Amino acid sequence: MTQPPDTITLYSAPLSMFGMKAEIALLEKGLAPDVVMVPFDAHDMYRPKHPEVLRVNPKQQVPVLLHGTVEIFDSTQIFEYLEDLRPEPPLWPRGAGARALARQREQMADEVYFPFVIRLMFLRRDQEPEAVAEATEGARAFYHRAEQWLADGERTGGYLCGAHSYADIALYMAALFGERHQAGMTQATPKLLAWRERMTARPAVKLVVMRIAQWLRAAGRPVPASLADRPGGD
Ligand SMILES: N[C@@H](CCC(=O)N[C@@H](CS)C(=O)NCC(=O)O)C(=O)O
């Protein structure tokens, strides 16, 4: 199905951290997507799968982005498309080396940090305390790594790669889910806590995460303290 050339449609889900990554990046670029929330609930999870997700993504996952004849999936692929489509404001740094480093950090948020959170989502806390402690420690160790990135980039912008980038969006969203699963950042990483505040204050981020807070509240689920303690979060 071909979309009107100026319409961007994003298929996401109310608790999809990868979908929210893509939505925040679109908003940071000044693009206003039509966001379609696919069916999702605690029991059936993502079933039934949305027909457009099935059509476009052989992995049957959100996010999926449609823009004219472009039909793509995977949040990181969407980041790359957005950077080509709308270079300003840049969300990758300039220069091959800096850009490679930022891409690596974005990937680490998804593929090194977030797997600890996925483990925590599925472990039975009362029956598997050692595995829970191990995954929680893995997440915390990653926070110390990111604290060092912030220390290194302090004079150039206060974000994970100096200036604000896709790497920040990726770790911010993943860490929100870490917090939901009791592996949130603590005072042991103060620069990271301050970074999280800076991120939450960005209008694009605030819009998306306050919607998550409202969704959780309506579903009778706990709201992460980093959102609940803010105006609009409660
Ligand atoms: N690497 C993918 C991961 C996408 C992903 O895991 N999506 C989840 C929601 S956050 C999903 O659609 N899960 C449903 C399923 O796998 O059946 C990305 O960055 O977009």
Side-chain angles (χ1 to χ4, degrees), residues 46-102:
Y46 289 88
R47 293 186 187 280
K49 301 267 177 159
H50 193 288
E52 283 297 89
V53 172
L54 291 176
R55 186 179 67 79
V56 174
N57 184 354
K59 296 178 80 174
Q60 307 190 351
Q61 295 177 326
V62 288
V64 163
L65 182 135
L66 308 185
H67 183 210
T69 55
V70 173
E71 300 181 334
I72 55 173
F73 60 89
D74 189 285
S75 59
T76 304
Q77 296 289 316
I78 292 170
F79 283 175
E80 295 296 346
Y81 177 64
L82 294 181
E83 200 62 11
D84 289 339
L85 180 72
R86 179 70 69 97
E88 298 293 332
L91 286 174
W92 288 131
R94 303 259 183 254
R99 194 166 273 219
L101 184 66

Side-chain angles (χ1 to χ4, degrees), residues 15-231:
L15 283 189
S16 166
M17 93 91 178
F18 294 103
M20 306 298 165
K21 270 178 72 182
E23 188 178 353
I24 290 170
L26 280 154
L27 296 171
E28 290 282 4
K29 287 288 186 184
L31 298 165
D34 287 345
V35 180
V36 177
M37 290 295 178
V38 303
F40 173 82
D41 67 43
H43 182 255
D44 294 319
M45 301 296 284
Y46 289 88
R47 293 186 187 280
K49 301 267 177 159
H50 193 288
E52 283 297 89
V53 172
L54 291 176
R55 186 179 67 79
V56 174
N57 184 354
K59 296 178 80 174
Q60 307 190 351
Q61 295 177 326
V62 288
V64 163
L65 182 135
L66 308 185
H67 183 210
T69 55
V70 173
E71 300 181 334
I72 55 173
F73 60 89
D74 189 285
S75 59
T76 304
Q77 296 289 316
I78 292 170
F79 283 175
E80 295 296 346
Y81 177 64
L82 294 181
E83 200 62 11
D84 289 339
L85 180 72
R86 179 70 69 97
E88 298 293 332
L91 286 174
W92 288 131
R94 303 259 183 254
R99 194 166 273 219
L101 184 66
R103 285 195 171 110
Q104 186 82 91
R105 290 179 177 175
E106 194 274 338
Q107 184 197 37
M108 286 173 76
D110 280 11
E111 295 184 16
V112 177
Y113 169 79
F114 198 58
F116 293 120
V117 179
I118 294 178
R119 288 208 74 200
L120 290 168
M121 285 177 190
F122 294 104
L123 284 169
R124 290 157 301 173
R125 289 196 160 262
D126 47 344
Q127 291 171 41
E128 299 166 286
E130 281 170 19
V132 168
E134 197 180 309
T136 306
E137 185 41 44
R140 296 257 154 81
F142 196 90
Y143 296 146
H144 284 282
R145 187 192 283 268
E147 183 82 356
Q148 188 56 49
W149 297 344
L150 289 169
D152 296 343
E154 212 152 30
R155 273 171 289 121
T156 51
Y159 288 95
L160 296 178
C161 304
H164 178 246
S165 78
Y166 294 110
D168 298 286
I169 299 173
L171 185 60
Y172 178 88
M173 278 314 306
L176 183 63
F177 284 76
E179 186 185 0
R180 290 189 65 227
H181 295 280
Q182 293 154 58
M185 50 191 79
T186 66
Q187 292 297 340
T189 53
K191 290 184 200 304
L192 198 60
L193 284 179
W195 163 86
R196 184 175 68 185
E197 280 299 297
R198 266 197 303 288
M199 285 295 290
T200 310
R202 297 183 71 89
V205 175
K206 190 181 265 179
L207 195 84
V208 171
V209 295
M210 288 310 159
R211 193 185 63 218
I212 300 178
Q214 280 164 12
W215 190 94
L216 289 170
R217 191 165 298 102
R221 301 210 214 167
V223 176
S226 68
L227 301 183
D229 300 343
R230 311 180 67 85

